[in-house]
Amino acid sequence: VQLVESGGGLVQSGGSLRLSCAASGFTFSLYDMSWYRQAPGKEREVVAGIVSGGGSTNYADSVKGRFTISRDNAKNTVYLQMNSLKPEDTAVYYCHGRYSDDDFEFKYWGQGTRVTVSS
């Protein structure tokens, strides 16, 4: 099982980045996917989530209107389009997958990709 994030980097305030998370080793289309982030000295927080079929999304208030989560189940990939970036968006961004039913729950994390927004 792997979740491999990419697309992080250094960007100026007001800029954009697109993060990708490529999944392998599990049935991606059955999993709800999320992006979390962890800034230095802070706890990890959820940024955005998308259900397995892609029909519903949710966002942290701090990123609403600026970030968009999407997925391509044919490519086993989830994306996070980040626009109008702010210095406070600086963090390591992690991809997370979760499946649950009456009998089982599975959760997976990626290794993270660093996003730095300069002012």
Side-chain angles (χ1 to χ4, degrees):
V1 172
Q2 276 195 312
L3 291 173
V4 180
E5 300 97 334
S6 61
L10 174 64
V11 64
Q12 288 189 333
S13 182
S16 298
L17 283 174
R18 188 194 197 203
L19 305 183
S20 299
C21 172
S24 61
F26 62 97
T27 308
F28 177 78
S29 61
L30 297 180
Y31 280 65
D32 298 334
M33 300 299 298
S34 300
W35 287 95
Y36 284 72
R37 67 185 181 188
Q38 187 165 19
K42 295 188 177 181
E43 293 189 353
R44 193 172 296 191
E45 62 176 358
V46 62
V47 174
I50 186 167
V51 297
S52 56
S56 178
T57 59
N58 57 82
Y59 299 91
D61 287 343
S62 59
V63 306
K64 278 182 182 175
R66 300 188 298 121
F67 290 11
T68 303
I69 188 171
S70 62
R71 66 189 296 162
D72 185 338
N73 285 346
K75 295 183 177 179
N76 289 353
T77 302
V78 62
Y79 306 96
L80 186 68
Q81 178 67 44
M82 305 187 296
N83 298 329
S84 303
L85 282 161
K86 304 175 181 180
E88 51 263 43
D89 295 317
T90 295
V92 178
Y93 284 72
Y94 297 91
C95 180
H96 178 262
R98 178 180 179 270
Y99 169 82
S100 67
D101 60 24
D102 289 344
D103 300 311
F104 301 101
E105 182 179 42
F106 299 104
K107 297 180 182 180
Y108 304 121
W109 288 97
Q111 83 290 347
T113 186
R114 186 173 301 276
V115 172
T116 303
V117 184
S118 63
S119 56

